[in-house]
Amino acid sequence: MKPRVLVTREVFTEVLDYLERHFDVTPNQADQPFSPDALAKALSDKDGALTVLTDRIDAGLLAKCPKLKVVCNIAVGYNNIDVKACRDAGVMATNTPGVLDDSTADFTWALILAAARRVTEAEAYVRAGEWKGWKLKQFLGADVHHATLGILGLGRIGQAVARRARGFEMNVLYHEPKRLPADVEKACGAAYVNFDELLSRADILTIHVPYSSATHHLVGAAQIAKMKPTAALIHAARGGVVDDTALIMALKRGTIAAAGLDVFENEPALNPEFLKLANVVMTPHIASSSTATRRNMAMLAAENLVAALTTGKPPNLLNP
Ligand code: DGY
């Protein structure tokens, strides 16, 4: 009998075809999200699962899924999975590193340019039929070229963002808990500074750290207060790294000039105050969402599932 697996959300048909060659697959092409109880029920007789960032995999769920051997997240971030609980339950957990770095970095640049140059605000003005003529001081924004880009978290995605800054002839600074090797700094053209210096010197601050208890509200009121009043904050990492309430207050008061956000606390139920602000560009957690990249992410997760259930050695194991 083939192992039984659940695919918790809609995926590309070639990913399902690939899985069906190995497993008895329960798909969810209707893309209806599972409630926690429904997910536990659906997984109670499964050997493996392809999950997404909205599926919470914790000790409570694992206790109800005695056959489960592996969960493969279609995401590089895995804060929806309690990795320790998986380890305790003998369940492998995997993610999809590497395949989304460039697409996420490209999109970060879309947010940088849109926030600095007020693209969505100006577009809404045109669409509303409010444009009556050219004005010298219309939608004045901030230059990106030759500005200082501050990168919080110079991992794979942060590095891809830094490399793209070359074309804009920017001064690139970064902060990490531990300074990176000189060859990495050189390849990125990025100089190490402490967190306070990063905040106070950046014209554009972009965040690329994973979410965990250690990074919860890493950027809150105290940190935003150290930024320039002309600065823009860009966030395409994970909701919760930024204190959204503090950010809203800062955007209202002019503590900083603008924000470009792809992720939010409690998404999709983002703080409604964001919707009242003209100086924030918002997108619905789509930084990695190019067709090729989302397909590659889903296929890599599927490959992990096949490897886990056939060899016990998935390539992107989080809890060896
Ligand atoms: C990730 O891979 O963690 C992304 O946020 C999913 O879009």
Side-chain angles (χ1 to χ4, degrees), residues 53 74-77 96 100 237-238 285 288 294 297:
L53 50 86
I74 309 177
V76 66
T96 61
L100 49 79
R238 248 324 166 270
H285 203 144
S288 62
R294 284 283 166 94
M297 288 165 67

Side-chain angles (χ1 to χ4, degrees), residues 14-309:
E14 57 267 44
V15 175
L16 276 188
D17 292 346
Y18 169 68
L19 288 174
E20 275 162 359
R21 290 204 288 277
H22 300 268
F23 306 126
D24 174 358
V25 181
T26 304
N28 178 12
Q29 293 301 80
D31 210 26
Q32 280 302 319
F34 283 94
S35 68
D37 283 347
L39 183 60
K41 192 156 177 270
L43 282 176
S44 61
D45 60 349
K46 302 294 185 299
D47 299 281
L50 219 60
T51 57
V52 300
L53 50 86
T54 50
D55 300 317
R56 178 92 203 123
I57 309 293
D58 56 17
L61 175 132
L62 294 169
K64 295 176 192 156
C65 307
K67 291 187 69 190
L68 197 63
K69 295 175 192 66
V70 58
V71 285
C72 300
N73 222 26
I74 309 177
V76 66
Y78 52 89
N79 53 301
N80 59 308
I81 299 177
D82 183 336
V83 175
K84 183 179 172 310
C86 285
R87 190 184 299 123
D88 293 346
V91 172
M92 293 174 271
T94 70
N95 68 339
T96 61
V99 291
L100 49 79
D101 303 342
D102 284 319
S103 296
T104 304
D106 288 352
F107 196 84
T108 299
W109 275 95
L111 290 177
I112 290 173
L113 291 165
R117 298 300 306 274
R118 304 175 63 182
V119 173
T120 54
E121 194 186 344
E123 205 228 9
Y125 173 86
V126 173
R127 282 184 187 275
E130 288 177 31
W131 187 28
K132 304 292 180 233
W134 189 91
K135 287 189 202 175
L136 186 69
K137 291 168 83 174
Q138 203 161 35
F139 287 104
L140 297 176
D143 275 328
V144 172
H145 68 85
H146 297 98
T148 295
L149 178 67
I151 305 181
L152 182 58
L154 199 68
R156 284 182 307 263
I157 296 171
Q159 290 177 27
V161 171
R163 289 194 298 272
R164 285 157 173 74
R166 282 225 175 84
F168 290 90
E169 300 178 62
M170 298 179 87
N171 174 30
V172 181
L173 308 176
Y174 80 96
H175 179 71
E176 275 280 339
K178 201 163 164 268
R179 186 170 177 171
L180 295 169
D183 60 328
V184 177
E185 291 185 348
K186 194 166 172 223
C188 295
Y192 176 82
V193 290
N194 67 37
F195 191 17
D196 279 354
E197 207 177 333
L198 188 84
L199 294 165
S200 63
R201 287 179 59 189
D203 296 308
I204 294 151
L205 177 72
T206 182
I207 300 171
H208 301 285
V209 297
Y211 179 74
S212 69
S213 52
T215 60
H216 178 73
H217 287 187
L218 184 62
V219 178
Q223 290 71 34
I224 297 170
K226 292 178 180 156
M227 294 174 68
K228 297 179 186 178
T230 49
L233 185 150
I234 308 300
H235 187 24
R238 248 324 166 270
V241 175
V242 173
D243 178 344
D244 284 357
T245 308
L247 175 60
I248 287 165
M249 199 61 84
L251 289 164
K252 278 187 182 165
R253 288 186 179 150
T255 311
I256 61 171
L261 308 172
D262 185 49
V263 292
F264 303 86
E265 289 190 277
N266 200 28
E267 63 187 46
L270 73 169
N271 189 322
E273 290 298 305
F274 273 126
L275 305 178
K276 300 180 188 160
L277 297 173
N279 54 346
V280 55
V281 174
M282 288 175 284
T283 50
H285 203 144
I286 55 165
S288 62
S289 194
S290 73
T291 309
T293 291
R294 284 283 166 94
R295 186 179 283 124
N296 289 341
M297 288 165 67
M299 194 50 100
L300 181 56
E303 285 163 6
N304 272 286
L305 190 52
V306 171
L309 292 178

